[in-house]
Amino acid sequence: MIPFLDLTRQHAALKRELMAAAERVLDASQFVLGGEGRALEAELAQLTGARHGLGVGSGTDALRLALSALGVSRGDEVLTPAFSFVASATTIAMTGATPVFVDVEQDTLTMDPDAAARALTPRTKAVMPVHLYGHPAAIDRLAAFARARGLALVEDDAQAIGATWGDRPLGGWGDAACLSFYPTKNLGACGDAGMVVTTRDDVAERVRRLRHHGDTGRYHHVEVGYCSRLDEVQAAWLRVKLRHLGEWTERRRAIAARYRAGLAGLPLTLPVERPGARHVYHLFTVRHAQRDALAKRLADAGVGTAVHYPRAVPDQPVFAADGERRWPEAYRAAREVLSLPCYPEMTDDEVEGVVDAVRTACEELG
Ligand SMILES: Cc1ncc(COP(=O)(O)O)c(C=O)c1O
């Protein structure tokens, strides 16, 4: 069996360091908004080229709070890709604003800047591209578009920590960017956690107060806020893992390079890495016209796979838009995508096992 993902390997290797970090927090016994969280915020602000990091309860909360901090509210529209994890759109709805779905580019499956321009209305307040699977959206074009139209730009960087575009890290291109430390992410907590990073002092200040009951300090509450703070145990664990992120990303890239070589020439679409982009392969997602049959054959051969995502976002029951004609690339992707195992702790033998199984399955499917 080659599991799609096995987090026990990472935690077995780091157990001693993680337990020591947890003990440090217990000894200090400051569990919320303490030194570990502040240190992690500084480390991730530096990694993403932003000035501030604000630790929050999840990636979802990071998006919701960043949008609110930028003044997005009822009556506004926010552009979001029609193909992503659902939180890229539901967080817009949580602010009272309307998510406006934009089709994705055929090769990267990230927001199509031309389609974004066509979706603009006088009510458009912000653009929220997603760096899907760990590959940058066309962030230089989208940032220029947002600047020219006076729109806020929020990067959904949940899947792409450490990725770069034109040698500039993702996360520092707009008004704010949002990280997720969901356990399966490239930098994963042992529970839920997230962060807003921003270069804007005013946005940092507003997120700081929104995450803590609208408090400006000493029980002085100036607006309705939330209770969404990154806890100290998660922060301490994330700091242990952050020291390994560089080598883990290199390993993901090496696995991806082996897949590219081993799967070349098959009737399978491999993920692109655009010139100028540095992909961090949160997911190695291929496309195949008979996706479900391919997944079944791989499962029979003992290879775990997953579908990210089986529905376009507007096609989710929560939005229930009838949109095959409006967002054709997103709907087609939902039928064709299949993620192969790609995580740093995979052995070389497992990587070869995946290559062999995919080759055999594709040949059988013809
Ligand atoms: C693209 C994207 N946006 C937002 C989120 C939400 O993050 P979280 O699960 O930490 O709330 C996720 C991950 O789950 C994601 O993949």
Side-chain angles (χ1 to χ4, degrees), residues 241-262:
K241 292 192 179 190
L242 182 56
R243 290 201 288 274
H244 300 273
L245 183 63
E247 87 217 32
W248 288 342
T249 301
E250 286 310 322
R251 175 68 182 151
R252 285 177 187 274
R253 288 179 55 78
I255 293 168
R258 177 61 199 124
Y259 282 164
R260 282 186 193 290

Side-chain angles (χ1 to χ4, degrees), residues 16 41 91 107 140 237 262 350:
R16 215 183 299 207
E41 288 173 345
T91 49
D107 55 351
D140 50 349
W237 281 340
E350 286 177 321

Side-chain angles (χ1 to χ4, degrees), residues 58-60 63 84-85 87-88 130 156 158-159 180-182 185 192-193 309:
S58 65
T60 302
L63 291 169
S84 181
F85 180 62
S88 306
V130 179
D156 181 339
Q159 300 188 0
S180 163
F181 309 122
Y182 183 76
K185 293 292 195 280
D192 278 313
Y309 297 94

Side-chain angles (χ1 to χ4, degrees), residues 116-343:
R118 289 194 296 274
L120 204 63
T121 78
R123 286 162 28 138
T124 311
K125 175 98 175 188
V127 194
M128 198 156 80
V130 179
H131 303 305
L132 195 74
Y133 303 153
H135 188 283
I139 195 64
D140 50 349
R141 288 185 63 198
L142 290 164
F145 164 71
R147 249 193 326 272
R149 301 294 196 292
L151 307 173
L153 176 69
V154 177
E155 294 173 70
D156 181 339
D157 200 12
Q159 300 188 0
I161 187 166
T164 57
W165 175 254
D167 290 334
R168 257 180 77 185
L170 300 183
W173 288 78
D175 299 281
C178 299
L179 301 171
S180 163
F181 309 122
Y182 183 76
T184 61
K185 293 292 195 280
N186 288 22
L187 180 64
C190 302
D192 278 313
M195 191 172 288
V196 177
V197 293
T198 178
T199 47
R200 281 181 52 175
D201 297 345
D202 59 331
V203 173
E205 194 184 317
R206 184 103 192 262
V207 172
R208 190 171 286 119
R209 110 183 160 216
L210 282 172
R211 74 177 172 180
H212 187 59
H213 304 283
D215 192 359
T216 56
R218 303 221 164 256
Y219 297 105
H220 187 71
H221 304 275
V222 297
E223 64 177 326
V224 176
Y226 304 89
C227 178
S228 182
R229 300 149 314 205
L230 173 63
D231 82 64
E232 284 287 283
V233 177
Q234 296 303 345
W237 281 340
L238 285 164
R239 292 185 69 210
V240 168
K241 292 192 179 190
L242 182 56
R243 290 201 288 274
H244 300 273
L245 183 63
E247 87 217 32
W248 288 342
T249 301
E250 286 310 322
R251 175 68 182 151
R252 285 177 187 274
R253 288 179 55 78
I255 293 168
R258 177 61 199 124
Y259 282 164
R260 282 186 193 290
L263 303 179
L266 295 176
L268 194 71
T269 306
L270 297 175
V272 295
E273 183 170 19
R274 282 204 176 144
R278 183 169 186 273
H279 199 325
V280 294
Y281 294 101
H282 170 55
L283 296 168
F284 189 94
T285 303
V286 300
R287 297 177 68 161
H288 192 280
Q290 298 178 70
R291 188 264 315 280
D292 293 338
L294 177 60
K296 165 92 173 59
R297 274 168 201 267
L298 291 175
D300 291 345
V303 174
T305 60
V307 174
H308 302 92
Y309 297 94
R311 280 171 179 263
V313 190
D315 192 35
Q316 290 288 350
V318 60
F319 295 113
D322 180 15
E324 173 94 52
R325 275 182 301 121
R326 292 168 71 192
W327 305 286
E329 293 298 345
Y331 277 66
R332 193 158 69 87
R335 285 193 295 270
E336 295 184 352
V337 291
L338 187 68
S339 303
L340 303 180
C342 183
Y343 50 101

